Amino acid sequence: MSDKHVVIVGGGFGGAAAAQTARKLLGASHNVTLIDRKKRTYLCGSLPWLVVGQREPLKVSRSLGALTQRGVNYVQAEVEAIDISTRRVKTNSGEYPFDYLVIATGAVYDWDAVPGSAQAHSFYNIETARKLRDALRRFKRGRIAIAVSGLPYKCPPAPFEMAFLMEDALVQRGIRKGVEIDVFTPEPTPLGVAGPDAPTSLRTLLERRGIGLHAGEQISSVAPNAGEIGFASGKRERYDLVVTIPVHRSARQVREAGLVNDSGWIPVNAKTLETRQKGIYAIGDATTISMANGKPMPKAGVFASAGGEVVAHNIAADVNGSSLEEFTGEGYCFIGYTSEKAAMVKGIFLSEGKPDVAYLSPSVRWHRGKERFEADWRRWRV
Ligand SMILES: Cc1cc2nc3c(=O)[nH]c(=O)nc-3n(C[C@H](O)[C@H](O)[C@H](O)COP(=O)(O)OP(=O)(O)OC[C@H]3O[C@@H](n4cnc5c(N)ncnc54)[C@H](O)[C@@H]3O)c2cc1C
């Protein structure tokens, strides 16, 4: 058997899981190469904690160089093109031929999709989360608006988690009375993806904490100098601090490789995660997978890493003749509620008939679960 080249593009949640699992399952003569433009990756689920001053950047990051000690050939480079016909990945530091390719490029943010929103705050990457933390520290009174710019976006509960944690931080600083917090989202039923109880429970929790919810509102502009946001409905709202969740798109390189469908994301076989091209797999945020109710599966790190493990097993099955694995869409997500409590959403998102997902109310137990998840991620167990 000739040596095989497994190339993984992207070292986030999905790519790191695929690389580590492939390395464990394949003999040493086979190459496992992971290419990412970055040296460090950040645990996005911990960014809301960072915004409210409960984490420092180093504690929520890991260095991709550590993969080298685990037998993975990590290459820091920009992938410029994926050539399907010649089966090569072209980077700014050379070309990488592959027998098997795993695309784990995640989502990129289009900060200009909503005019003016590039000047707004955000917390969807480390740079914006740090700036928002500084702005929140300086904030004394007024209105905070958190607005979702478009669907789909990563981790559907994150805007609400951010609102809950900001509210908690303002209470602890003794300035809550002078602050209004409002969340705007184009979704008519926020958190509908998290099971039948989640939307009502979310509304109850937001009401209890005095956080306004404006569902079905599509943001169309931000006027930073005027302190005003506009909506497709014609509504205009004033704000003192605006936080947007940017429009998400797939990476240019996967679009140019002809791998995406009309949704703008990569369609895959829901069980094997193989694209329409043999031996080319896609996992995580870069993909689109329909659930039994016709809606797309949410974009979340737990699915990306589970997908990474599944494709590594399936590549190993092809190489070694070992058994295949199926992606089930089983996963969970914590929703920070205060500095001591978190809620949780958990289930099998690709179960037949309809997603089998449950919402579990805020408790200390789920907060500890979120802390454990963070610790496991830093030790490369996730
Ligand atoms: C605020 C926030 C909170 C979240 N909370 C949770 C949570 O609690 N639980 C959960 O499960 N998920 C959560 N998520 C979602 C989770 O972070 C993502 O779903 C997950 O990171 C997706 O993993 P991925 O591997 O598909 O992509 P990513 O982790 O985004 O990795 C993609 C990688 O590809 C690299 N890349 C892309 N294009 C190129 C190129 N051309 N050349 C070189 N490298 C390239 C990038 O540098 C990046 O490192 C949250 C997200 C946010 C923003």
Side-chain angles (χ1 to χ4, degrees):
M1 188 196 346
S2 63
D3 300 345
K4 300 291 182 195
H5 291 274
V6 179
V7 175
I8 297 150
V9 181
F13 256 96
Q20 292 197 91
T21 313
R23 188 63 287 165
K24 275 185 214 144
L25 298 175
L26 293 170
S29 65
H30 303 295
N31 269 295
V32 178
T33 298
L34 182 144
I35 309 171
D36 198 304
R37 60 165 72 96
K38 294 191 217 151
K39 275 191 185 156
R40 291 193 88 74
T41 57
Y42 290 85
L43 180 60
C44 289
S46 293
L47 295 181
W49 277 339
L50 185 131
V51 169
V52 296
Q54 290 172 15
R55 288 292 181 282
E56 287 305 319
L58 213 54
K59 188 159 181 201
V60 299
S61 71
R62 62 188 186 188
S63 162
L64 288 175
L67 286 171
T68 311
Q69 288 131 44
R70 290 158 194 253
V72 174
N73 175 31
Y74 156 61
V75 177
Q76 193 199 350
E78 174 73 27
V79 169
E80 286 167 346
I82 297 166
D83 190 335
I84 289 169
S85 56
T86 60
R87 294 179 88 81
R88 298 178 100 76
V89 170
K90 299 180 176 172
T91 78
N92 60 355
S93 74
E95 294 194 2
Y96 294 83
F98 62 82
D99 297 292
Y100 301 93
L101 176 67
V102 181
I103 298 172
T105 41
V108 290
Y109 300 144
D110 183 350
W111 299 103
D112 298 317
V114 173
S117 78
Q119 280 88 52
H121 282 284
S122 189
F123 59 98
Y124 259 55
N125 59 23
I126 185 67
E127 294 80 16
T128 55
R130 285 173 98 147
K131 282 190 195 149
L132 178 57
R133 179 181 62 175
D134 295 343
L136 191 66
R137 274 189 189 141
R138 291 191 302 269
F139 194 77
K140 299 258 163 33
R141 59 185 300 116
R143 189 181 195 203
I144 300 176
I146 300 175
V148 175
S149 303
L151 304 172
Y153 65 93
K154 297 179 198 186
C155 191
F160 306 102
E161 174 175 50
M162 192 67 267
F164 287 134
L165 295 185
M166 277 182 168
E167 200 271 345
D168 189 55
L170 296 167
V171 170
Q172 288 179 28
R173 282 168 59 194
I175 56 168
R176 173 67 178 97
K177 270 198 181 145
V179 182
E180 279 175 77
I181 307 174
D182 290 276
V183 184
F184 299 86
T185 172
E187 272 190 297
T189 315
L191 235 53
V193 72
D197 304 332
T200 318
S201 304
L202 175 72
R203 279 180 189 273
T204 309
L205 296 180
L206 289 167
E207 263 169 41
R208 204 177 284 164
R209 302 280 293 278
I211 298 167
L213 172 63
H214 307 259
E217 288 291 354
Q218 173 64 59
I219 186 171
S220 56
S221 64
V222 179
N225 295 335
E228 203 176 68
I229 34 184
F231 294 89
S233 61
K235 202 167 159 178
R236 306 198 76 75
E237 299 270 354
R238 55 148 209 95
Y239 69 83
D240 298 287
L241 180 70
V242 65
V243 179
T244 63
I245 284 73
V247 166
H248 290 30
R249 304 206 193 282
S250 58
R252 173 186 60 79
Q253 295 80 354
V254 300
R255 279 184 269 127
E256 287 178 1
L259 288 164
V260 307
N261 66 10
D262 288 348
S263 71
W265 305 96
I266 308 172
V268 286
N269 177 313
K271 291 198 159 77
T272 63
L273 305 179
E274 196 168 26
T275 66
R276 286 174 291 213
Q277 306 291 330
K278 186 147 175 46
I280 301 184
Y281 299 83
I283 55 176
D285 290 355
T287 65
T288 180
I289 300 177
S290 285
M291 299 189 292
N293 59 10
K295 295 194 175 138
M297 234 183 101
K299 298 194 182 299
V302 283
F303 301 132
S305 66
E309 288 177 20
V310 166
V311 298
H313 273 96
N314 293 344
I315 291 168
D318 208 44
V319 176
N320 302 333
S322 50
S323 56
L324 288 163
E325 277 210 355
E326 279 190 0
F327 184 64
T328 59
E330 189 168 354
Y332 55 90
C333 178
F334 302 104
I335 311 168
Y337 183 61
T338 65
S339 58
E340 288 164 356
K341 286 186 182 176
M344 167 140 119
V345 171
K346 170 180 184 200
I348 304 174
F349 287 71
L350 291 181
S351 66
E352 278 175 32
K354 63 178 170 54
D356 180 13
V357 185
Y359 162 86
L360 306 164
S361 302
S363 74
V364 173
R365 186 175 170 199
W366 308 135
H367 176 74
R368 300 240 163 91
K370 191 170 161 79
E371 287 178 330
R372 264 196 307 279
F373 184 87
E374 180 186 67
D376 284 345
W377 181 86
R378 286 187 67 216
R379 288 187 203 113
W380 293 91
R381 290 191 189 141
V382 186

